[in-house]
Each structure stands twice: as structure tokens, then as C-alpha cells.
Amino acid sequence: MADLDTREWLLTNGLGGFASGTVSDVRTRTYHGWLFAATSPPSGRTLLLSHLEASLEIGGEVVVAGTNFWGSGQIEPTGYELLRYFQINPVPKWVWGDKEWQLTRRMIMPSGLGENFLCPTGGIGEEASFSKTPNNQYCHRILVHYLYEGNDVGVLRLRLLIADRNFHHQQKETSDLLFSQILGERVICLQSINAGDFGTPWQLRWTRGEYQAEAVWYWNYGLPEETRRGLGDREDLYSPGYLNVVLQPGDTVTLEAKVGFLINDHTPLNYETFSKAVEAEESRLNQIFGWSMSKGTEKGLEENLVNNSNPTAYIPRDTLWQKILRASEQFIVYRASISGPSVIAGYHWFNDWGRDTLIALPGLTLVTGRFKLAKGLLETFGRYCRHGLIPNGFPDVDGEPSYNSIDAALWWIEALGLYLEATQDWDFLVAQYPVVQQIYKAFIGGTLYNIQVDSTDGLISWDARGVALTWMDALVEGKAVTPRRGKPVEVNALWFSALCWSAQWAKRLSEIQVGDSLKYLKQAQRYSQQAQQVKESLQKYWNSQLRYLYDSIEPDDRRNSQIRPNAVLALSLYHCGFSQSQGEQILELAASRLLTPYGLRSLEPSDPEYIGKYVGDSTQRDSAYHQGTVWSWLIGPFVRSWERFFPGKPLPFDWEPILNSFLNQACIGSISEIFDGDPPHNPRGAVAQAWSVAEIIRHFPK
């Protein structure tokens, strides 16, 4: 049991589809499986292929490579005891073995977008925007490759374990749930039928072996991670049959699971298919990021991660940088409902969110030189601006986006400003300036949730119950855990920065003589005057006793003096409205009360409302979400603020713990959403989070 390694791995396909599991190959979550297909990219994620249970017969003896948790608490079989090797790059690879034999498995999930979606332009770090492409050109598939080595002939048996269920739920055997299978030459087509409704059709192909239909249900798989989260933790999986493959030493077998019924698919599947898929993925990454895989890099990417506790000790920084760039690419997806690019906030369970996308945008796109992607994201979200608000979420099919965010529109302006600074793309400013004006007019005149600029001090306020409009957005039984109605500090810091950007842009438009130059000059003057008023009013947040910023000014004008990281956010924006002295004092307090090796706490430990561990059922976890839990993405704002107010002074932060976490904790090769506020700061929440990775990219210690 001590060797049961439940660290996770993740593969994605750019459509919202993914595959995931653990190093020991045991499933611990509802979200573990080999083919989750996004039927309405990037949503509608459906588990089709859970896994293949592998056993190997050699000389009359049978060994099983798989491992299962069962609802009874039993662990059986115990194939993890035979695991000798695991690596994550360039593709996940397991090696099971004993003295006389060795079985290697590798997996890859090719990009599902196809050549018509992302067409490299040839420039380093550049790629064309996503194009409108018919749904039938999406491709959800995974390739699995086995290599047998040994002294004797081996017989590999691969039993299919399948499902057809929403990725948030568990499958249960019922009399209404049936699975059809049609067997062809080295292919089987599968489809569920549930109370007369047909599920997602898919197929499994293989290069060698004999398939035997043998329908059986396996009941009561246990999912211990879901048990810990207080959620459904039992699953039944269906097996339509198994594949027997006779393997001479050195033989291989490749399998492909793919959405759709393609009995007459002429795409070759042979021993070269897998290696070509790996080469194609490396070529795709090379075109995006402009790297080439040298022998030295390959060596660095192929370390054995079994029982490896300190990988940063020997991995070169350039290799680590490539690993982080790989991680960033996993979050970029195509959203069919808007025919444009988006960003998955986190895996396994999040969708694409506006605020998260815009905060992550500089790291995911600008630092990496992916300017066309940045432009596409800004254009997409700008196109859906309504009521002066940028959507915080898009519908999967027909319907209106959700606009439940006060700050997404302001983050959009901040991201637009950073994009323009990086590219000097003034034609794009001309195109997007009407959106900037729409946001400005809505905030000045008032919009949803009673969002409006207070005419007395120029600050933005909001007042609506039953919603949480800032990033501290947890609700329990319809009530905000951290109510921030009124004037949140980081929202008004964003508002100040937005006014500064707007004044700068209006002046630029007057200079390039787009339309009426005098009109733009008058707008620039108005924005500048309002920015000055807001800067003066930001002093209302200064708490001279604590030498910190109030977190919010409530509708009745009371100040919230809790020590939260939003003060650091207020210092980190491109335009900052606080003085040098204030910035230094804020950061000194934040460093002593909030800073951890993995990011900033959401609340200082001495606060009576502080909760140090993010554990328990959904109510307990939501109650702890912003009450002390460490958010790794906040290390970015802290670093930017520190470099602004303490230029040249060493950062009071050691990068090694969070980089070790990236390499060796939770989801290997990504960064968790959150960590416990209390030491040892265990990783929690989503195992791979976009803005966590993006902020590391933004400040990567080379």
C-alpha cells in the first residue's frame, strides 16, 4: 500500500476532451478515464473508455498489471507492485516487470482540432486563429501502445471497461442501460442505449489480436478521492469483451479509441501509427513555441518519476521551461458555440471562465509570443460584451452567456492594454475601442447587479444579494461566504487602471487621426480627470493602523479590515494608484501574513474566520475556499508588486517548492488550483489550473 502512487497525469486534445489517471494506474476519481470526449466542445464531456485491464500470461502463469479500488475497501488486483518505471514526457509511459519479462505502455491523445483549426504561420510562437469548422471534423481519440519484452512468448489480455456518462457523474448498472457492439475486422463499434436513447458512438481498433465478446458488468468500483470530497464514490463499469494478443519478445500492439462509427475507415493503424502521432505532437508544439527536441532535452524530459522526490535538483531550467509551456497548452481549447478560442480554467471539472481566461492571458499568450491567440481571445470575449460586462461563462449550445462578474470587463481592459503594449497593434485598438467605451458608459450609468460608479468619489460599487461577483465567489446555501458588496479594493484598482488605459488610448487615436481627433482628445481629458479622482478616492482604502488596505467599503460605508491578498492585487496592475510608502508597507505585511511557498493565503491565519485546511464535503470546502486557502496564481501579483516597490531587493520567495510541486505533486506536469493554508500546504482543488500555470510562466525564474 505504501507504494500505491496516486499522483495524477493528464492528456488533453484542444476540444475539452481529456484522459487522466494515476501513476499506479488505479482510478481514484470520477474524472479518471482514458477517453472523455467533449461532445459540444469544450463541454458535454462524456466518459466512453474507462480503461483496459491488462493481464499477461507467461509460461502458464498470469500476472495482472492493473490496480482497482473497490467499494468494500479492498485493493485488487495489485499490479502497482510490479510498476518499475513511470514518466510523463513526451507521453505518459509505464513499465511493469519482473526478472523474466517487461511490459511497457504508452499513451497519447492527439489534438482533436485537425489542420483546419490551427494553421501555423511559420513565425516562432505564432499560430493562426481558430476557424469555423463543421462538427464532423472534430476528432476525439486516444492511442495506446504496448511493448512486450521477455524470454518467452506472452499472451496479453486487454479487457475493455467502458461507460457512457457525464464526466461529473458515476455510472450505475440499470435494466435500462444497454451497450451494443458491432464487430468488424480488428475493430469494434460501441454505443450505449439508455431507456431507448442512443449514446455517443465510438470505436476501438487494434493492430493485432483476437477479440472475444464476453459481456459482463463490474460493480462497485471505489473512488477514494470522491469519498474525501463528500461526493458520489461508487461506479459500475461495463465490459463488452476482451482482446487476446500473442506477443513474441519485442512485439507491439497499438490500439485506437475514437469517437464515431467508421467501419470503412481507411486511416492506417500499424506499428508506426503511435510514433508518428508523437512526432506530430512534437512538431505542433515546435510550431507554437519554437523549440526543437535535442537529445539533451529528450534526456531531461524522460526522468523516471517513480519514487522521485526532488526532480528540480537535476532538471535544467530550459527543460523545465519546456515542461511548463507544455502544461500551458493543455488549457487552450476551441469553443464550438462561439466558433473561437477559449481557455479551460482547470482540470478536471472546470469549464472556460471569462475572469480566469483574462487573468491567465498574459502568461499563456503574451510571454510565450502567442499574439494571435491573445488577439483571438480578446476579440471573442469583447464580441460578447453586453450591458458593459464581459461574460464569465458561455452556454454550451443556444442561450445567453452568464454575466455574473463585476471585474471580468475590467480584466479584459487590463489584458487588452498588455496586449497592445506587447504588439503595438493599433488597428486592433481601433476595432476594440467601442467595447472599451461600452464598458465605461455602463459602469458610469449603471448596469446589472446595481453596478455603478458612485458620483461622489468616482469609485465602482455593486449591491445585489445571492450572488458573488468578484473572484472570491464561493456561495453556501445561496449566501456569499466572503460578502464583498459595496466597493471591493481590487475592483477599484482595476477601474483606476482602466481609466488610465482609456485616456492613453483616446490620445493615441487622436494622434493616428481615426475619425474626429478633437473628440478623442476630449475623451482622453475626461478619462484622465476621472482617473485622478479615483486615485484620490483610493486613499479611502488606506488603513493607517494596520498599514494595509481595507478589503472593501461596504454599502453602509463600513470598512472591512481583514488582511486579504486583494491589496496585493491592487498594487500589481499596470497602472497603480498607491504611493511608494504604502506599497512597501502593504507588501511587508502581506509577506509576513499571507505569503507561503505556494502562493498567497486568501486570509491571514490570525483572523477568527481563518480555515487552514481545504477538506470535507462541498459545504465545508466552499466555506474554506477563500478563508485562508492558498491560491497559487496570486504569487504572480505578489512578484509584480514586489518588483515595482522593491526594485533590486531579493524576492522573499523560494521558487523551488512550487516548481517541485509542478514536477512531482498532484498532477505531474501542472500546478494545482489551491493549497492548504496550514503547513505542509497540501495541494487541493483542481489538479491543473490555467492561471496557476500562467503566472509561473509570467515570472519563471530562469
Side-chain angles (χ1 to χ4, degrees):
M1 183 66 181
D3 297 327
L4 187 59
D5 192 336
T6 56
R7 291 175 300 167
E8 297 173 69
W9 55 271
L10 174 70
L11 297 173
T12 65
N13 68 357
L15 292 173
F18 67 89
S20 186
T22 66
V23 171
S24 287
D25 212 33
V26 62
R27 286 153 308 288
T28 64
R29 297 185 187 272
T30 302
Y31 305 96
H32 284 164
W34 290 4
L35 183 58
F36 285 92
T39 56
S40 178
S43 305
R45 285 171 273 188
T46 302
L47 175 63
L48 299 173
L49 173 62
S50 172
H51 65 287
L52 301 173
E53 193 79 43
S55 61
L56 190 63
E57 182 179 348
I58 309 170
E61 294 187 7
V62 177
V63 294
V64 182
T67 301
N68 296 310
F69 281 120
W70 299 98
S72 63
Q74 184 179 8
I75 301 174
E76 195 278 325
T78 57
Y80 69 92
E81 295 173 341
L82 297 168
L83 184 64
R84 300 291 177 259
Y85 183 95
F86 174 78
Q87 73 174 59
I88 194 67
N89 284 317
V91 295
K93 175 182 177 180
W94 294 257
V95 179
W96 295 270
D98 210 340
K99 294 179 180 179
E100 304 298 324
W101 62 274
Q102 182 170 288
L103 181 67
T104 300
R105 185 186 74 201
R106 294 186 296 157
M107 304 175 71
I108 187 169
M109 178 169 272
S111 172
L113 296 171
E115 294 180 357
N116 292 330
F117 282 89
L118 274 178
C119 306
T121 61
I124 290 177
E126 295 270 350
E127 77 279 0
S129 59
F130 292 73
S131 62
K132 298 181 180 181
T133 305
N135 188 60
N136 60 14
Q137 292 192 29
Y138 304 148
C139 185
H140 292 283
R141 65 183 181 129
I142 189 164
L143 293 166
V144 187
H145 180 80
Y146 291 90
L147 164 66
Y148 168 68
E149 297 168 285
N151 299 325
D152 299 316
V153 175
V155 179
L156 178 64
R157 173 172 289 188
L158 300 172
R159 178 167 282 281
L160 283 67
L161 279 303
I162 70 172
D164 192 337
R165 50 98 169 155
N166 179 278
F167 78 141
H168 291 310
H169 304 153
Q170 299 84 38
Q171 178 172 265
K172 302 294 182 183
E173 183 199 8
T174 68
S175 58
D176 288 334
L177 179 58
L178 306 171
F179 288 87
S180 68
Q181 56 176 316
I182 302 172
L183 183 62
E185 183 178 355
R186 294 183 180 174
V187 62
I188 182 173
C189 296
L190 298 154
Q191 188 172 30
S192 71
I193 307 169
N194 195 343
D197 293 330
F198 289 91
T200 302
W202 63 284
Q203 63 175 358
L204 182 73
R205 298 195 294 162
W206 55 89
T207 55
R208 64 169 69 197
E210 298 296 326
Y211 179 79
Q212 177 64 51
E214 185 184 71
V216 62
W217 277 94
Y218 286 77
W219 302 305
N220 204 30
Y221 285 94
L223 302 168
E225 282 299 321
E226 307 305 345
T227 305
R228 280 189 274 272
R229 297 173 68 223
L231 300 173
D233 59 358
R234 298 290 186 271
E235 172 125 85
D236 302 334
L237 294 173
Y238 179 76
S239 176
Y242 59 87
L243 183 68
N244 269 344
V245 190
V246 178
L247 296 170
Q248 298 289 337
D251 280 350
T252 65
V253 57
T254 300
L255 302 97
E256 178 194 59
K258 185 177 182 180
V259 170
F261 279 173
L262 299 169
I263 295 291
N264 297 318
D265 189 351
H266 298 295
T267 306
L269 183 67
N270 52 46
Y271 72 94
E272 295 179 339
T273 301
F274 191 90
S275 60
K276 287 182 177 178
V278 175
E279 291 172 4
E281 177 64 7
E282 293 306 311
S283 176
R284 187 179 73 87
L285 292 172
N286 177 45
Q287 290 173 320
I288 292 173
F289 298 116
W291 71 49
S292 60
M293 298 296 289
S294 66
K295 290 184 178 179
T297 300
E298 288 174 358
K299 183 178 180 181
L301 288 172
E302 292 182 358
E303 71 278 3
N304 183 5
L305 291 168
V306 173
N307 299 320
N308 186 351
S309 61
N310 188 24
T312 59
Y314 64 90
I315 293 180
R317 274 295 192 261
D318 59 345
T319 301
L320 182 54
W321 175 242
Q322 289 192 7
K323 288 173 177 281
I324 295 174
L325 292 182
R326 283 175 180 269
S328 74
E329 174 62 9
Q330 292 185 318
F331 302 103
I332 309 302
V333 295
Y334 176 81
R335 172 163 278 283
S337 64
I338 61 174
S339 299
S342 195
V343 174
I344 290 291
Y347 291 97
H348 302 88
W349 47 77
F350 291 136
N351 249 6
D352 46 340
W353 292 343
R355 178 191 296 116
D356 292 53
T357 296
L358 295 164
I359 291 174
L361 185 148
L364 295 183
T365 65
L366 302 183
V367 175
T368 58
R370 305 184 69 178
F371 300 125
K372 288 188 177 180
L373 175 58
K375 187 174 181 177
L377 290 167
L378 289 165
E379 193 171 38
T380 294
F381 281 89
R383 187 166 71 248
Y384 283 88
C385 183
R386 302 287 187 275
H387 321 290
L389 302 179
I390 294 292
N392 205 33
F394 289 108
D396 293 342
V397 285
D398 295 335
E400 274 293 299
S402 56
Y403 291 89
N404 56 335
S405 168
I406 188 175
D407 54 343
L410 302 176
W411 281 116
W412 183 87
I413 291 177
E414 186 76 3
L416 175 63
L418 296 175
Y419 167 80
L420 293 172
E421 287 296 303
T423 64
Q424 305 293 297
D425 184 359
W426 304 120
D427 287 340
F428 190 61
L429 171 61
V430 173
Q432 298 303 311
Y433 189 69
V435 181
V436 175
Q437 290 181 298
Q438 183 186 159
I439 294 169
Y440 169 80
K441 291 175 181 177
F443 276 58
I444 291 292
T447 185
L448 305 178
Y449 309 107
N450 294 311
I451 297 170
Q452 188 168 17
V453 168
D454 185 334
S455 60
T456 63
D457 58 15
L459 298 177
I460 292 175
S461 180
W462 72 280
D463 191 359
R465 299 187 181 275
V467 293
L469 301 187
T470 74
W471 77 275
M472 290 187 160
D473 56 359
L475 295 171
V476 173
E477 296 179 352
K479 294 183 179 179
V481 178
T482 53
R484 305 186 73 222
R485 291 183 300 119
K487 300 170 181 176
V489 63
E490 82 283 5
V491 170
N492 279 290
L494 280 163
W495 175 235
F496 170 72
S497 192
L499 289 169
C500 292
W501 283 120
S502 299
Q504 180 179 320
W505 295 335
K507 187 172 184 298
R508 167 66 65 171
L509 292 174
S510 73
E511 293 170 350
I512 60 179
Q513 296 181 344
V514 176
D516 187 345
S517 296
L518 183 59
K519 178 187 70 174
Y520 290 118
L521 283 173
K522 289 180 178 178
Q523 289 175 0
Q525 184 179 22
R526 182 170 70 251
Y527 296 145
S528 294
Q529 290 171 346
Q530 288 179 304
Q532 183 59 36
Q533 181 192 21
V534 171
K535 183 176 183 178
E536 293 170 1
S537 296
L538 286 176
Q539 291 305 306
K540 290 185 175 183
Y541 292 98
W542 180 243
N543 184 333
S544 57
Q545 183 177 356
L546 285 176
R547 295 187 297 178
Y548 203 71
L549 298 181
Y550 290 110
D551 190 66
S552 63
I553 300 173
E554 298 178 23
D556 60 5
D557 213 36
R558 287 182 299 168
R559 268 63 163 173
N560 183 322
S561 60
Q562 289 180 302
I563 304 225
R564 294 188 179 276
N566 298 305
V568 178
L569 275 177
L571 299 180
S572 68
L573 304 172
Y574 192 86
H575 300 96
C576 178
F578 296 96
S579 71
Q580 177 70 26
S581 174
Q582 288 173 332
E584 291 174 359
Q585 293 175 77
I586 291 164
L587 289 171
E588 286 171 351
L589 189 59
S592 66
R593 307 279 187 92
L594 301 178
L595 184 63
T596 76
Y598 301 96
L600 299 185
R601 293 185 180 96
S602 46
L603 182 65
E604 66 149 329
S606 64
D607 193 288
E609 296 183 358
Y610 175 81
I611 302 174
K613 293 188 184 298
Y614 181 82
V615 294
D617 60 24
S618 58
T619 296
Q620 293 169 310
R621 286 182 284 112
D622 285 346
S623 297
Y625 210 29
H626 300 293
Q627 298 288 58
T629 296
V630 172
W631 290 75
S632 49
W633 76 273
L634 290 172
I635 195 58
F638 182 84
V639 171
R640 288 192 291 281
S641 300
W642 188 270
E643 291 176 347
R644 166 178 275 156
F645 289 98
F646 293 109
K649 187 174 181 180
L651 184 71
F653 178 77
D654 182 1
W655 286 100
E656 292 307 300
I658 198 167
L659 293 177
N660 268 323
S661 181
F662 170 80
L663 291 167
N664 209 40
Q665 276 189 308
C667 182
I668 296 173
S670 199
I671 299 177
S672 297
E673 174 194 13
I674 51 178
F675 294 78
D676 284 340
D678 288 348
H681 307 294
N682 290 319
R684 306 288 187 184
V687 297
Q689 194 77 1
W691 57 12
S692 300
V693 172
E695 289 297 279
I696 297 299
I697 290 174
R698 206 165 168 184
H699 300 287
F700 181 74
K702 295 182 179 178

